[in-house]
Amino acid sequence: MAVASAAPGSIFCKQLLFSLLVLILLSDACQKIYLRVPSHLKAETLVGKVNLEECLKSASLIRSSDPAFRILEDGSIYTTHDLILSSERKSFSIFLSDGHRQEQQEIKVVLSARENKATKKRHIKDTALKRSKRRWAPIPASLMENSLGPFPQHVQQIQSDAAQNYTIFYSISGPGVDKEPFNLFYIEKDTGDIFCTRSIDREKYEQFALYGYATTADGYAPEYPLPLIIKIEDDNDNAPYFEHTVTIFTVPENCRSGTSVGKVTATDRDEPDTLHTRLKYKILQQIPDHPKHFSIHPDTGVITTTTPFLDREKCDTYQLIMEVRDMGGQPFGLFNTGTITISLEDENDNPPSFTETSYVTEVEENRIDVEILRMKVHDQDLPNTPHSKAVYKILQGNENGNFKISTDPNTNEGVLCVVKPLNYEVNRQVILQVGVVNEAQFSKAANSQTPTMCTTTVTVKIIDSDEGPECHPPVKVIQSQDGFPAGQELLGYKALDPETSSGEGLRYQKLGDEDNWFEINQHTGDLRTLKVLDRESKFVKNNQYNISVVAVDAVGRSCTGTLVVHLDDYNDHAPQIDKEVTICQNNEDFAVLKPVDPDGPENGPPFQFFLENSASKNWNLEEKDGKTAILRQRQNLDYNYYSVPIQIKDRHGLVATHVLTVRVCDCSTPSECRMKDKSTRDVRPNVILGRWAILAMVLGSVMLLCILFTCFCVTAKRTVKKCFPEDIAQQNLIVSNTEGPGEEVTEANIRLPMQTSNICDTSMSVGTVGGQGIKTQQSFEMVKGGYTLDSNKGGGHQTLESVQGVGQGDTGRYAYTDWQSFTQPRLGEESIRGHTLIKN
């Protein structure tokens, strides 16, 4: 398959060929136009497009001589019904009429039909088609944007080598065909000719990537899809324009020639890096136009100054009418204009000046914080800026600091005030020299010299007045020793009466004594200590303790002075240390000790650290830099509190022993330790019970005892049921003759002899151990209670033998009637005794 197209040449050659083609079409626009169309045209098919305006610009009537075709206003020709063209040419005319000018033009249109190749079916046995790779290769094609036609315009032709033997149908797809923009290109399926139906804007579509297809009548594709690139050649149809509609630049006044003001930028939508987008800048007009202060680089658009004489006080704003033109600035290039505003920034190039050459004012002596004069200045620079705000200075005459001058921020005036009292007896007038400058540093203009400071003279006359005592100097310093005892005298503050130059008749009082260290002699002003002077007191700052004193004359006028007591340090404080430290075993096995000495540096570090022998077994103490020490465990100790006695000595040997509480804890930081403080672990809260609480406790105890006693009595009353075997009457039972109350039967008065005897199993409480019944078949005797079943024991005890009589043959056995007659009376007696005990 082959692609037929014009060989691509240089851009200049293409533009030249296109211009010649336009000239030919213009010359023949109203004569004859040839269009090559398919032999079969369906209804509403675009046949082509002609440029009607080139023949008659203002055509009011457009008609066709052949009703098979209709003409639109833009020159497009469409079929009105299906047409079949023979091999011969078909022609018709387009008539244009202008009703206003009474003009009429005719355009001849000749249609030539393309022949269809005979259809040849592919032989069934030809299963493979030979393809030539040489001819199946795309050749880039191009179209000029905004083409004038005629349309459809032939772009190129694709052909398949298989068309030599078979009938091949061609088709295309891609943007411009079946994608946006639709129906821009179409292809003759029989010939492979590709046509463009209308003009194209390159700024919308720079190129079109199409695919061409070749298929046989039965749908077989002998070729791969062929990529077709149609590039749209740029036409200079877009004028450049400035990116910003409003552009404002600023530049300092009095700047040097060649200073960059700013850069203007313009945009051209045409193809970049071509002559169509090669822009040139130019200044058309400057407002005001004289003198010329600015120039612009034609290629970069950078605006610079051409003179150093820009003066804001003469003109503060300039406007530049700019032009930007493409085609390298050629006259036929497209252009646009814009306005640039340049504002001049103020510089401090005008010094301030006083409106008066000298001033005279007066003030009473001893007056302070009083305004005595206001001075005005004139400045041409921009108001309310550092370039015009005045700064006043007293150059001469204020060596004693009696005056102060400041600037009123609202009026920019200089305000002269008296801040220290003036003495008429010393000076009756003071002459001041005052100068003024701006807040901003002066900026020297290119055409001017640095000016000198503007100055003026102020004469201040002092008015005499009767004045009170003077405290001079206002602050007096006296020396004393740290630890100076109470009841001692110190030299106090002395004031003078300026009229008599002495202190007679003055009375002194304390105004300020924070810790009440002193009392003052009201006649002499001397001090007497009330406390021991302590340099380490919180009221002492920088070894100084201040006392404010007021001196009053006979008429109540006063002055105030400050007496500073400077205390020389004495080594009276041993080094101190925190009483408790924490060692976190998870982080480190030591603690850092940082002692503090309240004394001064000359009586403080370096410190010496000593560990008492009792703590050396578990601890080790290491000194560091004379200010700190490290307390380290000799081995890992249990988590607990430990008391470690440590001695710390300062540089002069003053020593103090501290019992340090060390908390060894399972933590990473001391704040994570959850051990209770040693001082609070064994503390019990002191609870004071009121009388009602005590009464409630007593009543509760009594009730509890009553309940327990009731339970005991009920338990004692309970009859213990015994079950004896049939031969129980044969056992011995000794009855006690004691009349006193019976005793409890406990384990202590039960003796179980190791004799085999058949006594019934029992679970009596007297025989219980650990709350469980003891089942036994042993014979037993009651020793302490007086009852026994042993027939061999007598001696004051009534036995069953004595009741029954001695002399029976078998003493080891007794009849049941004997046993019952012996036990029933005694059980009644015990029951009466139990009731009596419960009542008591």
Side-chain angles (χ1 to χ4, degrees):
M1 184 173 182
V3 178
S5 176
S10 65
I11 297 176
F12 177 76
C13 293
K14 289 182 179 181
Q15 292 177 348
L16 181 60
L17 290 175
F18 178 72
S19 300
L20 293 176
L21 179 60
V22 171
L23 291 175
I24 294 172
L25 291 174
L26 290 177
S27 63
D28 197 40
C30 293
Q31 297 180 7
K32 187 178 291 185
I33 293 176
Y34 294 90
L35 297 177
R36 190 177 181 184
V37 297
S39 58
H40 183 271
L41 295 175
K42 293 183 178 181
E44 298 299 328
T45 300
L46 178 65
V47 177
K49 186 177 182 181
V50 295
N51 193 344
L52 303 179
E53 293 184 356
E54 296 297 334
C55 184
L56 186 62
K57 289 189 176 181
S58 57
S60 59
L61 179 61
I62 304 172
R63 62 185 180 88
S64 172
S65 62
D66 190 342
F69 302 95
R70 62 183 179 89
I71 315 301
L72 301 183
E73 292 181 356
D74 62 349
S76 300
I77 303 172
Y78 286 88
T79 58
T80 58
H81 56 80
D82 293 347
L83 290 178
I84 298 178
L85 303 179
S86 63
S87 58
E88 298 180 358
R89 296 181 177 180
K90 180 177 179 61
S91 62
F92 66 94
S93 298
I94 300 174
F95 297 100
L96 307 175
S97 300
D98 187 354
H100 296 285
R101 299 182 181 180
Q102 300 297 324
E103 294 183 9
Q104 185 172 348
Q105 295 290 343
E106 179 184 1
I107 301 175
K108 192 74 172 180
V109 179
V110 179
L111 303 179
S112 59
R114 291 190 289 270
E115 295 182 358
N116 293 331
K117 295 184 179 180
T119 301
K120 182 179 180 181
K121 294 184 179 179
R122 181 170 60 93
H123 198 276
I124 299 177
K125 293 184 178 180
D126 291 337
T127 57
L129 296 179
K130 297 181 179 179
R131 289 192 288 255
S132 174
K133 297 300 181 181
R134 279 186 306 105
R135 304 186 63 183
W136 189 251
I139 298 176
S142 62
L143 286 174
M144 181 65 66
E145 75 165 325
N146 303 322
S147 174
L148 300 177
F151 295 101
Q153 182 178 353
H154 186 266
V155 180
Q156 65 179 16
Q157 184 183 29
I158 59 175
Q159 274 190 332
S160 172
D161 294 336
Q164 299 175 3
N165 300 317
Y166 307 100
T167 299
I168 298 297
F169 296 102
Y170 301 98
S171 62
I172 56 176
S173 67
V177 182
D178 53 359
K179 298 180 181 179
E180 287 287 347
F182 294 102
N183 302 322
L184 181 61
F185 300 100
Y186 72 89
I187 187 172
E188 278 290 337
K189 68 176 183 176
D190 298 326
T191 63
D193 290 314
I194 301 175
F195 292 90
C196 178
T197 61
R198 57 186 181 271
S199 61
I200 305 172
D201 187 1
R202 189 206 66 86
E203 284 68 44
K204 291 184 179 179
Y205 308 102
E206 294 185 0
Q207 67 177 17
F208 294 89
L210 308 179
Y211 281 92
Y213 307 93
T215 58
T216 61
D218 56 357
Y220 176 72
E223 305 288 358
Y224 291 108
L226 179 65
L228 302 173
I229 303 299
I230 301 176
K231 186 178 184 301
I232 309 302
E233 299 292 343
D234 184 44
D235 181 26
N236 189 23
D237 58 341
N238 291 280
Y241 60 92
F242 290 100
E243 294 181 356
H244 304 287
T245 57
V246 178
T247 304
I248 300 177
F249 295 127
T250 58
V251 64
E253 65 172 332
N254 303 318
C255 62
R256 295 184 180 184
S257 178
T259 301
S260 176
V261 178
K263 180 180 180 180
V264 293
T265 55
T267 301
D268 196 321
R269 296 180 58 199
D270 290 323
E271 186 174 1
D273 302 324
T274 64
L275 193 62
H276 299 163
T277 55
R278 187 178 300 172
L279 307 181
K280 294 290 184 179
Y281 299 91
K282 182 169 62 175
I283 298 177
L284 299 180
Q285 185 182 2
Q286 172 186 301
I287 303 173
D289 59 349
H290 185 77
K292 302 294 183 183
H293 292 296
F294 306 99
S295 65
I296 189 170
H297 193 283
D299 296 325
T300 63
V302 176
I303 302 174
T304 56
T305 58
T306 58
T307 65
F309 304 115
L310 289 172
D311 191 354
R312 190 203 64 85
E313 286 71 36
K314 294 181 179 179
C315 180
D316 60 353
T317 303
Y318 292 88
Q319 285 187 341
L320 302 180
I321 308 300
M322 310 293 299
E323 178 192 88
V324 57
R325 187 183 293 267
D326 61 13
M327 300 299 292
Q330 297 298 323
F332 54 82
L334 302 179
F335 68 92
N336 222 325
T337 60
T339 302
I340 307 298
T341 302
I342 300 177
S343 298
L344 299 186
E345 295 179 348
D346 185 43
E347 293 289 324
N348 189 22
D349 56 344
N350 294 281
S353 58
F354 287 102
T355 57
E356 303 288 340
T357 57
S358 62
Y359 299 87
V360 178
T361 185
E362 61 183 18
V363 64
E364 292 184 2
E365 67 171 334
N366 300 319
R367 293 285 303 277
I368 59 173
D369 297 330
V370 57
E371 177 184 321
I372 61 175
L373 181 64
R374 281 181 173 261
M375 294 171 283
K376 294 184 178 181
V377 294
H378 176 70
D379 198 323
Q380 297 181 4
D381 290 319
L382 192 65
N384 299 321
T385 64
H387 301 155
S388 61
K389 290 184 178 180
V391 177
Y392 300 89
K393 299 180 180 179
I394 301 177
L395 304 178
Q396 292 180 3
N398 193 33
E399 288 76 11
N400 296 328
N402 299 98
F403 302 93
K404 182 186 75 172
I405 191 167
S406 59
T407 303
D408 189 326
N410 298 322
T411 62
N412 207 30
E413 294 176 327
V415 181
L416 183 63
C417 300
V418 178
V419 294
K420 288 177 60 177
L422 297 168
N423 194 340
Y424 177 82
E425 287 74 22
V426 178
N427 288 315
R428 300 194 176 186
Q429 75 174 18
V430 178
I431 299 176
L432 304 175
Q433 185 180 15
V434 180
V436 62
V437 293
N438 291 123
E439 289 184 1
Q441 187 177 1
F442 184 79
S443 176
K444 177 183 176 182
N447 57 344
S448 63
Q449 297 180 354
T450 303
T452 58
M453 180 186 295
C454 182
T455 60
T456 188
T457 301
V458 179
T459 301
V460 181
K461 296 181 179 180
I462 303 172
I463 302 174
D464 187 23
S465 63
D466 188 8
E467 51 201 334
E470 294 182 351
C471 294
H472 187 76
V475 178
K476 181 179 179 181
V477 181
I478 61 174
Q479 297 291 129
S480 184
Q481 184 71 28
D482 182 18
F484 193 71
Q488 302 296 318
E489 297 285 342
L490 287 176
L491 185 63
Y493 194 90
K494 305 295 182 182
L496 295 176
D497 188 341
E499 304 296 334
T500 62
S501 300
S502 67
E504 295 182 1
L506 299 180
R507 297 291 182 269
Y508 297 91
Q509 296 176 1
K510 285 194 310 178
L511 286 181
D513 183 3
E514 289 184 289
D515 201 22
N516 196 28
W517 281 11
F518 302 96
E519 64 178 0
I520 190 169
N521 189 321
Q522 63 175 351
H523 300 288
T524 63
D526 293 334
L527 301 178
R528 180 183 178 86
T529 58
L530 299 176
K531 298 180 180 180
V532 177
L533 305 188
D534 185 7
R535 191 196 70 87
E536 287 73 30
S537 171
K538 65 178 182 180
F539 302 101
V540 176
K541 303 293 187 292
N542 298 326
N543 300 337
Q544 295 178 351
Y545 184 83
N546 297 335
I547 307 156
S548 298
V549 178
V550 60
V552 185
D553 62 7
V555 297
R557 292 171 296 188
S558 63
C559 69
T560 303
T562 301
L563 189 63
V564 178
V565 181
H566 188 278
L567 298 175
D568 296 330
D569 186 31
Y570 176 72
N571 191 20
D572 55 347
H573 292 83
Q576 303 296 320
I577 196 172
D578 293 338
K579 298 302 182 182
E580 181 176 312
V581 295
T582 301
I583 296 179
C584 289
Q585 293 280 37
N586 297 338
N587 187 17
E588 51 193 15
D589 61 346
F590 63 89
V592 180
L593 308 182
K594 298 180 179 180
V596 176
D597 196 329
D599 293 323
E602 64 277 3
N603 294 319
F607 300 118
Q608 294 180 355
F609 300 85
F610 303 96
L611 191 65
E612 291 192 2
N613 296 332
S614 59
S616 300
K617 179 180 179 181
N618 295 329
W619 306 95
N620 183 29
L621 193 61
E622 305 171 4
E623 293 187 9
K624 278 185 63 178
D625 62 30
K627 295 182 179 180
T628 60
I630 294 178
L631 181 64
R632 192 184 303 273
Q633 304 175 76
R634 292 187 179 273
Q635 66 273 350
N636 287 337
L637 301 176
D638 295 336
Y639 300 141
N640 205 341
Y641 285 85
Y642 298 89
S643 297
V644 182
I646 296 176
Q647 288 186 349
I648 306 176
K649 184 185 298 184
D650 63 14
R651 67 166 59 191
H652 295 298
L654 186 60
V655 66
T657 300
H658 304 278
V659 178
L660 184 65
T661 300
V662 182
R663 183 173 59 168
V664 180
C665 188
D666 181 14
C667 59
S668 298
T669 59
S671 60
E672 297 178 357
C673 186
R674 294 295 180 265
M675 293 177 59
K676 294 183 179 179
D677 195 334
K678 183 179 179 182
S679 60
T680 62
R681 284 181 300 167
D682 299 329
V683 174
R684 298 291 184 268
N686 294 327
V687 179
I688 300 176
L689 299 177
R691 55 185 180 182
W692 294 108
I694 297 174
L695 180 60
M697 293 174 62
V698 171
L699 292 177
S701 301
V702 172
M703 292 178 65
L704 181 60
L705 289 175
C706 292
I707 293 171
L708 293 176
F709 185 73
T710 303
C711 293
F712 171 77
C713 293
V714 172
T715 304
K717 184 180 178 181
R718 181 179 300 169
T719 303
V720 180
K721 295 182 179 180
K722 301 182 178 65
C723 181
F724 297 96
E726 293 179 355
D727 58 350
I728 192 63
Q730 299 177 6
Q731 302 296 329
N732 296 329
L733 180 63
I734 299 176
V735 181
S736 173
N737 294 325
T738 306
E739 297 299 330
E743 297 180 359
E744 284 190 58
V745 180
T746 62
E747 286 184 325
N749 51 29
I750 296 177
R751 184 173 66 245
L752 300 177
M754 298 301 294
Q755 297 177 2
T756 304
S757 179
N758 262 341
I759 300 179
C760 170
D761 289 346
T762 180
S763 54
M764 298 169 57
S765 61
V766 295
T768 357
V769 178
Q772 297 178 355
I774 300 176
K775 295 182 179 181
T776 179
Q777 294 182 354
Q778 300 177 10
S779 64
F780 61 93
E781 61 178 347
M782 290 185 168
V783 177
K784 192 174 182 181
Y787 295 96
T788 178
L789 296 179
D790 192 350
S791 59
N792 297 325
K793 291 184 180 181
H797 294 278
Q798 184 179 2
T799 65
L800 195 57
E801 292 91 338
S802 62
V803 176
Q804 188 179 14
V806 181
Q808 294 181 1
D810 189 1
T811 60
R813 291 183 177 272
Y814 300 93
Y816 178 75
T817 55
D818 298 334
W819 172 264
Q820 187 175 12
S821 61
F822 176 78
T823 56
Q824 287 299 329
R826 286 157 180 79
L827 289 175
E829 294 176 3
E830 293 300 324
S831 176
I832 294 172
R833 291 174 185 172
H835 284 293
T836 306
L837 180 61
I838 292 173
K839 290 180 180 180
N840 294 334

